[in-house]
Amino acid sequence: MGLILRAMRLFFLSILGLAGGVFLAIQAGFNSQLGSTLKQPILAVIASSISSVVFGCLLFFLISKESIHNITTTQVPWHLWFIGGFFSVIGIAIYFYNIPKIGISKMIALGLCGQLIFSLIAGKYGWLNLPVEPITTKRLAGTIAMIAGIILFNIK
């Protein structure tokens, strides 16, 4: 029975991961339209970030089991409050800038490739205080297959 539950959990998490990718692609499409309309991708990043805060707070209050006073901010290193936002602004601005120029499918494919390559290297060395994941033959073959797919995807 335990094996079936683990398989079902993995299946659910996989579907959730795919849904997350769909939502990121949808937001990239809408927000790149906003950036193009405004002629300023950075303004689209700001608008997206503000709306993310609003919806994030709503989600927190709807599903969080802890109250705000139980969260201890002093236990978190100061840089963790800001560094993710720094990289997020740069990454999102690149998406919003590139999508109108090269198309959403190419940008998402290239972005996924960049994420995959970085995660392969970061996992190997445990960067960002993440668990170490060795580069196996399967992972390397999968990465090469994805890069080949992206090259085929982008050839006209």
Side-chain angles (χ1 to χ4, degrees):
M1 187 64 164
L3 184 61
I4 293 173
L5 287 177
R6 278 191 299 234
M8 288 174 56
R9 183 173 188 268
L10 180 59
F11 178 75
F12 172 75
L13 292 174
S14 297
I15 296 298
L16 197 59
L18 289 170
V22 169
F23 276 83
L24 289 176
I26 291 170
Q27 72 82 26
F30 281 126
N31 287 323
S32 68
Q33 287 178 31
L34 178 61
S36 291
T37 302
L38 296 172
K39 308 275 191 271
Q40 288 290 331
I42 298 300
L43 286 177
V45 171
I46 292 168
S48 175
S49 297
I50 290 170
S51 65
S52 292
V53 167
V54 170
F55 289 116
C57 286
L58 287 172
L59 191 61
F60 175 79
F61 289 122
L62 287 174
I63 66 170
S64 180
K65 294 178 179 135
E66 292 186 41
S67 63
I68 292 176
H69 64 64
N70 289 338
I71 299 171
T72 307
T73 59
T74 57
Q75 293 175 339
V76 178
W78 69 270
H79 69 278
L80 291 181
W81 290 102
F82 304 103
I83 197 74
F86 171 76
F87 283 100
S88 179
V89 164
I90 292 171
I92 292 170
I94 290 169
Y95 269 63
F96 296 170
Y97 177 81
N98 271 2
I99 287 172
K101 292 167 178 39
I102 66 173
I104 191 167
S105 57
K106 285 183 183 177
M107 186 60 226
I108 296 292
L110 291 167
L112 288 173
C113 185
Q115 289 176 25
L116 184 64
I117 292 169
F118 178 81
S119 68
L120 194 67
I121 297 167
K124 176 179 176 21
Y125 296 107
W127 292 350
L128 309 176
N129 205 25
L130 296 170
V132 173
E133 300 174 307
I135 297 177
T136 63
T137 305
K138 287 181 184 179
R139 287 178 189 228
L140 197 54
T143 302
I144 292 168
M146 185 163 180
I147 291 170
I150 288 169
I151 291 169
L152 290 173
F153 194 82
N154 285 305
I155 293 175
K156 289 195 176 207

